[in-house]
């Protein structure tokens, strides 16, 4: 039995991990999630998990961490997760509940979940404990813990504990995104979460990024076509798990969000801003291609390009938690306005 003292001590350790991130700690968002999952597992046993971060505006998944029993069905898992309404992270964020179980969200009828009915029942998953990491600046991620048959369902105490974890951890996740705007540390070493891939010109610094790429996907989210620059872009994104290591999960996430919009499950845009190292950001967007009149469903198109300056500035302002007045000053400075009262003229910025 988990006592109140045990829960309090665990939350203290989560709080300590969260407080480390803005200082000299080496805990980037990947390492932070590893440490937090280890602590959570001591209080809430689980058999599998899925934990992506999110673009704070679109709530579309990026930079995922996961351990699931069905990696060979990853596109199906992602697609059904996005089109399943019960316990969806966007619904939790809107309700302020922060955490719930799938059994509670479906009133005990798991078949109401397309994800469970379409995949997870075949792997003996008996319940899911879901939480969302959101604040007034946006949605920064969500976490699903899976528990198999033969174990007790997740309890109200466990759901309450995970909701408390989300309250403690959300600011730290947001700050970990803010750290990605550093091109390099003062000692000139790469940030811990920078990908190993180099930019196309061989420079790990501020090189030119490839031209816009387009991937086309079918309704099962299998890649059926791509433009010439696609491979260069995909090498800058986090590889997917085997056997989908050639298709970053961010591509599948934005495509799945488009399907959720089309199904009327969620109205957020089907796009995401993704850090690609050295302070650089990519923009991924999904859209439905125009019909050629053949009668078949037109494919999905995912575009990848360098993130526009206004979108990078918005991510900067949100991740640093700027106030409206601070954001206004940031926008003026980024447009070239001088921040000096008696200065000689405009200043250069690199946001």
């Amino acid at each position: 039995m988990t006592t109140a003292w045990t829960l309090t001590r665990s939350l203290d350790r989560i709080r300590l991990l969260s407080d480390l991130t803005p200082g000299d700690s080496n805990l980037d968002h990947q390492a932070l999630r590893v440490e937090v999952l280890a602590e959570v597992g001591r209080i809430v046993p689980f058999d599998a998990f899925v934990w992506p971060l999110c673009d704070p505006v679109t709530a579309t998944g990026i930079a995922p961490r996961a351990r699931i029993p069905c990696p060979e069905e990853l596109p199906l898992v992602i697609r059904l997760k996005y089109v399943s309404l019960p316990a969806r992270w966007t619904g939790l964020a809107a309700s302020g509940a922060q955490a719930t179980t799938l059994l509670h969200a479906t009133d005990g009828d798991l078949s109401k979940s397309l994800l469970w009915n379409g995949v997870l029942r075949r792997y003996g998953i008996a319940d899911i404990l879901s939480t969302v990491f959101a604040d007034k600046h946006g949605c920064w991620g969500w976490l699903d813990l899976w528990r198999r048959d033969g174990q007790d369902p997740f309890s109200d105490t466990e759901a309450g504990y995970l909701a408390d974890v989300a309250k403690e951890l959300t600011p730290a996740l947001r700050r970990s995104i803010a750290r990605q705007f550093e091109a390099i540390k003062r000692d000139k070493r790469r940030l811990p979460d920078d990908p190993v891939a180099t930019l196309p010109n061989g420079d790990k610094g501020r090189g030119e990024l490839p031209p816009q790429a387009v991937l086309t996907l079918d309704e099962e989210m299998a890649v059926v076509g791509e433009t010439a620059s696609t491979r260069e872009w995909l090498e800058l994104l986090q590889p997917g798990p085997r056997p989908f290591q050639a298709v970053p999960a961010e591509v599948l996430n934005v495509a799945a969000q488009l399907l959720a919009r089309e199904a009327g499950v969620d109205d957020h845009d089907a796009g995401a801003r993704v850090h690609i190292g050295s302070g650089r950001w990519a923009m991924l967007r999904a859209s439905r291609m125009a019909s050629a009149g053949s009668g078949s469903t037109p494919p999905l198109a995912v575009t990848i390009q360098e993130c526009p300056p206004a979108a990078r500035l918005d991510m900067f302002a949100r991740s640093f938690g700027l106030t409206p007045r601070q954001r206004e000053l940031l926008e003026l400075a980024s447009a070239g306005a001088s921040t000096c009262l008696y200065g000689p003229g405009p200043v250069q910025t690199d946001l």
Side-chain angles (χ1 to χ4, degrees):
M1 178 179 177
T2 303
T3 65
W5 183 87
T6 302
L7 295 177
T8 299
R9 292 289 294 172
S10 179
L11 290 172
D12 285 343
R13 289 189 286 271
I14 296 290
R15 193 175 297 113
L16 179 61
L17 289 170
S18 300
D19 289 344
L20 285 173
T21 51
D24 295 328
S25 169
N26 289 324
L27 287 181
D28 57 57
H29 64 74
Q30 298 283 11
L32 177 62
R33 284 180 284 172
V34 169
E35 295 290 337
V36 169
L37 274 173
E39 177 58 38
V40 167
R42 297 185 183 100
I43 305 299
V44 183
F46 58 89
D47 298 301
F49 75 92
V50 180
W51 192 351
L53 302 183
C54 287
D55 182 297
V57 174
T58 68
T60 301
I62 60 174
R65 295 195 65 85
R67 185 184 73 236
I68 60 175
C70 46
E72 68 280 1
E73 297 195 69
L74 180 65
L76 179 61
V77 170
I78 293 177
R79 176 165 60 86
L80 293 182
K81 172 63 179 178
Y82 273 76
V83 298
S84 295
L85 192 56
R88 200 179 197 272
W89 65 102
T90 48
L92 290 176
S95 69
Q98 287 202 281
T100 191
T101 69
L102 188 59
L103 278 169
H104 181 269
T106 59
D107 297 321
D109 183 4
L110 295 179
S111 64
K112 293 179 180 178
S113 166
L114 296 177
L115 174 61
W116 186 86
N117 208 35
V119 181
L120 301 189
R121 67 186 306 171
R122 292 190 276 109
Y123 293 89
I125 302 302
D127 198 10
I128 300 174
L129 177 53
S130 300
T131 190
V132 66
F133 304 92
D135 59 18
K136 64 182 181 180
H137 303 290
C139 179
W140 301 98
W142 52 268
L143 169 63
D144 280 357
L145 304 179
W146 299 2
R147 192 173 277 179
R148 290 183 181 273
D149 290 328
Q151 302 187 53
D152 292 334
F154 291 106
S155 67
D156 291 343
T157 298
E158 290 171 324
Y161 164 77
L162 206 61
D164 289 337
V165 168
K167 292 175 185 176
E168 298 293 343
L169 193 61
T170 297
L173 289 177
R174 176 169 51 77
R175 289 193 298 264
S176 73
I177 298 298
R179 292 180 64 235
Q180 294 178 326
F181 280 91
E182 298 180 61
I184 51 177
K185 286 188 170 182
R186 290 182 180 179
D187 61 4
K188 305 302 182 182
R189 293 177 296 180
R190 287 190 305 112
L191 285 176
D193 55 346
D194 270 356
V196 176
T198 62
L199 295 177
N201 64 357
D203 180 14
K204 290 186 174 67
R206 308 289 294 183
E208 289 296 322
L209 290 171
Q212 175 179 291
V214 180
L215 294 88
T216 54
L217 291 76
D218 63 19
E219 288 300 292
E220 304 302 318
M221 299 205 308
V223 176
V224 294
E226 59 186 52
T227 56
S229 59
T230 299
R231 290 297 110 186
E232 293 178 279
W233 273 111
L234 297 189
E235 289 176 359
L236 296 174
L237 300 174
Q238 177 178 309
R242 293 182 181 276
F244 300 100
Q245 61 268 31
V247 184
E250 287 94 348
V251 171
L252 302 178
N253 275 259
V254 296
Q257 176 58 26
L258 177 62
L259 296 177
R261 282 179 58 89
E262 292 179 344
V265 172
D266 184 71
D267 60 1
H268 287 86
D269 287 340
R273 293 161 288 187
V274 181
H275 183 239
I276 55 175
S278 301
R280 306 296 289 272
W281 295 75
M283 172 69 81
L284 283 72
R285 291 189 182 278
S287 58
R288 178 74 66 177
M289 296 187 68
S291 174
S294 62
S296 60
T297 303
L300 308 170
V302 175
T303 60
I304 312 175
Q305 62 186 60
E306 186 170 8
C307 190
R312 293 180 69 246
L313 186 146
D314 175 77
M315 180 69 88
F316 183 96
R318 290 175 181 275
S319 63
F320 279 94
L322 299 189
T323 66
R325 179 56 176 163
Q326 289 171 329
R327 180 170 184 141
E328 180 183 358
L329 293 174
L330 174 66
E331 291 171 350
L332 289 172
S334 67
S338 175
T339 57
C340 179
L341 183 59
Y342 299 106
V347 295
Q348 291 292 110
T349 61
D350 188 24
L351 295 178

